Amino acid sequence: MIIIQFLLGASLASFFNLVALRDARGESIVRPRSHCDTCQMQLAAFDLIPVLSYIILIGKCRYCKSSLSATFFFNELMLGIALASLNIQHTNFPFMLSLIMMAFLSSFDLVQKQVPTWGILGLFCICLLLIAHPLTQIGPAFVIYLVVQLINQKKHWVGAGDLDIYFCLWLISSVLFLLWTTFIACIAALVYLIVAPWPKDSKIPFVPFISVGYFVTFQFQSVLLPLIS
């Protein structure tokens, strides 16, 4: 089951990468068939196996030897590991859906440096299934969220989509949970910036790191949350 769950996660991430990339180009997700962006050669089925093909090909196109996106590879690897580490019998289904949706939004953030509104709405609907706060708290929290969004539109501290995601995640968790999520996300982002070159436009796709923080905090919340409380 661990292998099956890993392949499922990696395959989903591979599909999400495809959707985000073709949406940015205005192309159909069905046609044309998968091909190398450099030499335009149509890729065979064994060139498209998530994670494994990248490793076998040493990160290069089999035809023209141009470099393949390491970002997509790590996206597939991370979601594969995340799903493989879950105990399906004891993990609630809405959480798994929220994790998959976060991976989907991560692909868009990596490719387009923004997330689609309909993707945020999808995450919001999933979070409503797990909502952990009474209406008396949701109302004031929504007002605070709107105020922060208005301030952020002028100051541009973070992406507007990041704030949307944080509000959705707050619905199913707590402020303490989000503090740990943010802390781990920032650590992951710093590691990324040490390894990877600084983006030319100085825009860092933060949703993938929020996803990492969200997953790690959820998996180790019994240990992490008492450290602050």
Side-chain angles (χ1 to χ4, degrees):
M1 281 302 297
I2 291 177
I3 295 175
I4 293 174
Q5 289 170 216
F6 176 84
L7 291 176
L8 174 61
S11 298
L12 284 173
S14 179
F15 176 70
F16 296 159
N17 293 336
L18 170 71
V19 173
L21 193 59
R22 296 207 172 186
D23 179 79
R25 297 172 177 172
E27 297 177 349
S28 166
I29 63 172
V30 179
R31 294 182 179 179
R33 291 186 59 180
S34 297
H35 56 276
C36 173
D37 293 333
T38 302
C39 65
Q40 303 301 313
M41 285 291 293
Q42 183 174 301
L43 302 180
F46 49 80
D47 293 324
L48 300 171
I49 303 173
V51 178
L52 187 60
S53 290
Y54 185 92
I55 296 174
I56 293 175
L57 296 172
I58 320 178
K60 297 182 182 294
C61 171
R62 186 160 58 91
Y63 304 99
C64 66
K65 306 303 179 184
S66 60
S67 297
L68 303 176
S69 174
T71 302
F72 291 162
F73 165 74
F74 283 109
N75 206 25
E76 296 170 2
L77 184 64
M78 290 300 100
L79 186 57
I81 292 174
L83 290 193
S85 65
L86 295 178
N87 187 329
I88 299 297
Q89 295 180 344
H90 295 90
T91 300
N92 56 63
F93 188 64
F95 164 73
M96 195 178 303
L97 282 180
S98 67
L99 181 63
I100 291 173
M101 181 57 73
M102 287 293 292
F104 178 73
L105 296 176
S106 295
S107 292
F108 271 83
D109 201 23
L110 288 168
V111 173
Q112 304 182 18
K113 301 292 180 66
Q114 61 182 1
V115 291
T117 302
W118 52 270
I120 295 292
L121 291 175
L123 178 64
F124 178 74
C125 291
I126 292 171
C127 290
L128 286 179
L129 300 175
L130 284 170
I131 194 165
H133 303 280
L135 290 176
T136 53
Q137 293 182 7
I138 294 176
F142 184 70
V143 173
I144 294 173
Y145 156 75
L146 290 178
V147 171
V148 173
Q149 277 284 26
L150 290 174
I151 296 174
N152 188 61
Q153 285 183 359
K154 296 182 179 180
K155 302 295 184 179
H156 300 290
W157 289 326
V158 295
D162 297 342
L163 295 176
D164 294 333
I165 290 173
Y166 269 112
F167 179 74
C168 290
L169 295 183
W170 173 82
L171 291 173
I172 59 176
S173 58
S174 64
V175 173
L176 185 58
F177 188 99
L178 293 184
L179 286 175
W180 272 112
T181 297
T182 304
F183 174 75
I184 296 170
C186 290
I187 295 298
L190 286 173
V191 172
Y192 167 80
L193 290 174
I194 292 172
V195 176
W198 187 271
K200 295 181 179 179
D201 57 2
S202 296
K203 292 182 179 180
I204 303 170
F206 198 58
V207 177
F209 303 117
I210 297 176
S211 302
V212 171
Y214 174 58
F215 173 74
V216 173
T217 303
F218 181 86
Q219 286 291 85
F220 299 99
Q221 58 184 314
S222 61
V223 176
L224 295 176
L225 299 188
L227 292 178
I228 296 180
S229 61

